[in-house]
Amino acid sequence: MNAPTSLPSRVRHLIVGAGFAGLGTAIKLDEAGESDFLVIEKGSDVGGTWRDNTYPGAACDVPSQLYSFSFAPNDWSRSFSPQPEIHAYLQRVARESGTLDRFVFGTLLEDAAWDETEQAWRVRTSRGEVLATNLITGSGGLSEPKLPEIDGIEDFTGELFHSARWNHDVDLTGKRVAVIGTGASAIQIVPEIAKVAGHLDVYQRTAPWVIPRHDRSYSRLERLALQHVPGLRKAYRTGIYWGRESYVPAFTRQPRLTAPAAKMGLANIRKGISDPALRERVTPNFQIGCKRILISNTWYPTLDADHVDLVTDRITKVAGNTIVTADGAEREVDVLIVATGFYTTDQPIGHHIRGRGGRTLADTWADAGMAAYKGTTIHGFPNLFQIVGPNTGLGHSSMVFIIESQIAYITDALRTQRINQYAAMEPKLTVQQEWNTDLQRRMERTVWSSGGCASWYLDDHGRNTTLWPRSTFTFRKLLSEFDVSSYDVEAPAAHREELSA
Ligand code: NAP
């Protein structure tokens, strides 16, 4: 691989990020003959979230047969693959794709501004400037760690790190460890570190719904069959897809259909915890599905262990190496792990992208929240394509399915752009508004709105600007073709001058 070390002055497509989204885009653009692209990646490797989240127990809670590219099958070792296996998969796919010669690692996007004269994105990176006709961001919806706002935490005198930035130099063996948070990351971390920690305090603000995890390794025979029996892997993947898709009505239209899942969650508590008082404290007080449903067989038994304490009193401050809670209790710890999630409704990249008139995405979205057309393009931001943009997230199935749908749409858009020699394309404002009015109307009926919880799905105005409120096959259908009639298009500036002369 001969990856460039400096940036060219001009490129047709600039892709930001080398996770599933950026890598998949590079592969599909190459296949479509759009080979004049560059991928900039702030890290030193491909993998995105699967490179960054190296915490103990990290694994995907969507079966790998579905949580993988449709065009790049893999010999998965088990149903829910651990992070190292997913990362290795992405590394292999990248290596074999023949596109790595256009990836520049260790390169941070600092600023991207739409240049009206050039009809291109003027992009400043930590490695220099580049002018790009199209800017495609695949920087991830869950990539920027969010630290909790707790008085005194910045002066904590022990070791402190976020779940997504695990400090592997810190040995937890025999230590007093505290974990703040009980989300998808924490429930994977806690059972693992409880095996070595001397004492573990788990700080819970909201009890999550946790149902059993049906994970198992594939037998040798199954793996051979999946690899060699024609059509079997595809049929298996399709089966998982439809199994997952059958949850959609419960989330989006009939929240009462979630009742069986709630029963499973309550049974999981009874099975895992013997103490009635502890059972009570871990029982959620909102409708299942309102927050992401978590899966674990080890979460409750770990909380029941003698050397693990669940703390449900609010943290009031951190003083030195002591965590103080509202009941006045003080607990000393050596290591504090914050598993407190990510910036989701205020995408950090939005502060670095400036569209027409120099307005940033963050400013554009400041009043009414994030909004795009088909989760991908944004009025006022010509030739910008966001993968995993507003309202593309899922609570039930594989984001790789969504990502591939968006990549197909973008590839078709770029083909349309080239054939018609459009210099700039952006969704019409009215079309974008109609799209979002419809989305928000649908959102009202979902469990995410009516389930009685606060979640990272909702922004400060209480609007759900992160999740897709319909079936994933509808998303795919709606993005199956680039609908140029929904867009304002511009001829190249030189051509415009000729026409007006
Ligand atoms: P999260 O779901 O946002 O959970 C953050 C946790 O921290 C919550 O329990 C939250 O409590 C708590 N918290 C936040 N600020 C706090 C504060 N100031 N004081 C006390 N507690 C505080 O974050 P995450 O667990 O990292 O997961 C984020 C998303 O990443 C998931 O929903 C999922 O989409 C994805 N993920 C997926 C997998 C997978 O297996 N595929 C694994 C990990 C993560 P509240 O509930 O009260 O807000």
Side-chain angles (χ1 to χ4, degrees):
M1 164 187 80
N2 283 318
T5 48
S6 61
L7 302 186
S9 56
R10 176 119 211 181
V11 71
R12 187 152 177 93
H13 315 298
L14 186 72
I15 302 168
V16 184
F20 265 105
L23 175 60
T25 305
I27 293 171
K28 288 292 157 186
L29 286 190
D30 208 38
E31 270 177 26
E34 294 285 344
S35 49
D36 181 11
F37 64 80
L38 199 68
V39 181
I40 57 167
E41 163 57 57
K42 67 176 172 1
S44 58
D45 193 3
V46 299
T49 195
W50 298 104
R51 177 201 59 217
D52 290 343
N53 281 273
T54 59
Y55 60 74
C60 186
D61 58 12
V62 176
S64 311
Q65 296 290 347
L66 183 62
Y67 193 87
S68 48
F69 288 125
S70 60
F71 54 85
N74 193 47
D75 175 24
W76 297 106
S77 68
R78 55 189 312 117
S79 34
F80 296 107
S81 294
Q83 171 268 335
E85 193 173 359
I86 303 173
H87 189 204
Y89 164 74
L90 288 168
Q91 287 172 317
R92 175 182 67 78
V93 172
R95 236 180 5 253
E96 293 175 1
S97 71
T99 61
L100 274 179
D101 57 345
R102 280 152 284 170
F103 282 56
V104 197
F105 293 101
T107 307
L108 185 71
L109 179 138
E110 291 173 347
D111 182 72
W114 176 251
D115 185 320
E116 299 280 0
T117 314
E118 294 286 344
Q119 292 172 300
W121 287 94
R122 194 169 282 288
V123 182
R124 199 181 71 233
T125 78
S126 53
R127 207 180 274 273
E129 280 198 10
V130 57
L131 203 60
T133 308
N134 297 295
L135 181 63
I136 305 166
T137 65
S139 48
L142 299 165
S143 60
E144 203 59 43
K146 194 169 187 178
L147 300 171
E149 285 172 21
I150 297 171
D151 190 23
I153 196 165
E154 59 284 358
D155 299 322
F156 178 66
T157 51
E159 297 285 352
L160 182 150
F161 49 90
H162 188 276
S163 55
R165 299 287 181 270
W166 197 267
N167 184 347
H168 291 275
D169 294 337
V170 177
D171 181 6
L172 301 180
T173 311
K175 300 260 172 68
R176 294 168 301 181
V177 183
V179 174
I180 300 180
T182 54
S185 300
I187 71 140
Q188 293 183 334
I189 293 167
V190 165
E192 286 306 306
I193 64 174
K195 291 175 187 166
V196 297
H199 183 86
L200 181 57
D201 291 324
V202 178
Y203 288 85
Q204 170 186 281
R205 190 165 67 179
T206 311
W209 281 101
V210 185
I211 62 173
R213 176 186 176 90
H214 301 294
D215 187 21
R216 64 181 186 87
S217 53
Y218 294 126
S219 70
R220 219 173 102 72
L221 195 65
E222 281 174 301
R223 287 172 71 164
L224 282 171
L226 283 165
Q227 269 177 285
H228 300 294
V229 176
L232 182 62
R233 182 148 42 199
K234 192 157 180 234
Y236 189 46
R237 181 179 164 103
T238 308
I240 297 171
Y241 172 80
W242 287 108
R244 294 256 155 182
E245 207 57 12
S246 67
Y247 305 154
V248 171
F251 285 116
T252 60
R253 284 202 303 276
Q254 298 287 345
R256 66 192 163 79
L257 295 177
T258 57
K263 267 193 184 159
M264 273 196 275
L266 295 174
N268 207 20
I269 294 174
R270 284 194 300 275
K271 187 169 169 223
I273 293 179
S274 47
D275 172 13
L278 184 57
R279 279 182 183 172
E280 175 91 34
R281 290 162 68 216
V282 299
T283 301
N285 61 2
F286 59 90
Q287 191 162 11
I288 190 165
C290 184
K291 282 172 181 280
R292 190 180 177 92
I293 300 175
L294 310 182
I295 55 168
S296 176
N297 301 334
T298 50
W299 170 249
Y300 293 127
T302 302
L303 295 184
D304 208 27
D306 288 342
H307 70 304
V308 178
D309 284 336
L310 180 76
V311 185
T312 48
D313 291 293
R314 191 174 55 83
I315 301 171
T316 50
K317 65 174 179 181
V318 171
N321 71 340
T322 303
I323 300 178
V324 185
T325 43
D327 59 343
E330 298 186 358
R331 293 176 181 83
E332 280 188 59
V333 279
D334 305 309
V335 185
L336 174 53
I337 298 160
V338 291
T340 44
F342 302 87
Y343 286 94
T344 55
T345 55
D346 174 21
Q347 289 288 333
I349 197 168
H351 297 271
H352 304 280
I353 297 182
R354 291 181 287 137
R356 291 200 194 278
R359 196 154 188 237
T360 64
L361 257 183
D363 282 344
T364 306
W365 288 340
D367 295 336
M370 297 196 298
Y373 177 55
K374 298 195 171 179
T376 311
T377 51
I378 301 146
H379 180 77
F381 295 80
N383 297 1
L384 172 69
F385 301 89
Q386 263 209 317
I387 304 183
V388 191
N391 291 108
T392 57
L394 300 177
H396 71 291
S397 190
S398 169
M399 278 310 291
V400 184
F401 185 91
I402 293 290
I403 287 170
E404 283 194 45
S405 309
Q406 290 191 277
I407 293 173
Y409 184 72
I410 294 168
T411 307
D412 199 30
L414 300 179
R415 190 185 60 83
T416 308
Q417 182 191 59
R418 183 180 286 283
I419 290 172
N420 296 291
Q421 296 185 14
Y422 296 141
M425 311 187 296
E426 64 181 297
K428 292 175 179 159
L429 182 58
T430 49
V431 171
Q432 182 175 311
Q433 283 168 339
E434 277 163 27
W435 173 266
N436 284 288
T437 304
D438 178 63
L439 271 186
Q440 291 305 324
R441 186 180 53 76
R442 289 174 190 279
M443 212 53 97
E444 284 166 19
R445 296 186 292 180
T446 68
V447 68
W448 312 309
S449 305
S450 64
C453 76
S455 73
W456 63 255
Y457 303 154
L458 309 180
D459 67 12
D460 292 344
H461 314 286
R463 273 165 59 107
N464 187 330
T465 56
T466 54
L467 293 195
W468 171 245
R470 306 178 71 181
S471 65
T472 59
F473 56 85
T474 303
F475 186 82
R476 178 151 292 189
K477 189 160 168 277
L478 289 167
L479 275 78
S480 61
E481 224 173 276
F482 182 65
D483 44 342
V484 67
S485 60
S486 302
Y487 284 75
D488 289 326
V489 296
E490 256 177 34
H495 191 209
R496 276 189 312 198
E497 278 155 24
E498 272 168 36
L499 289 177
S500 58

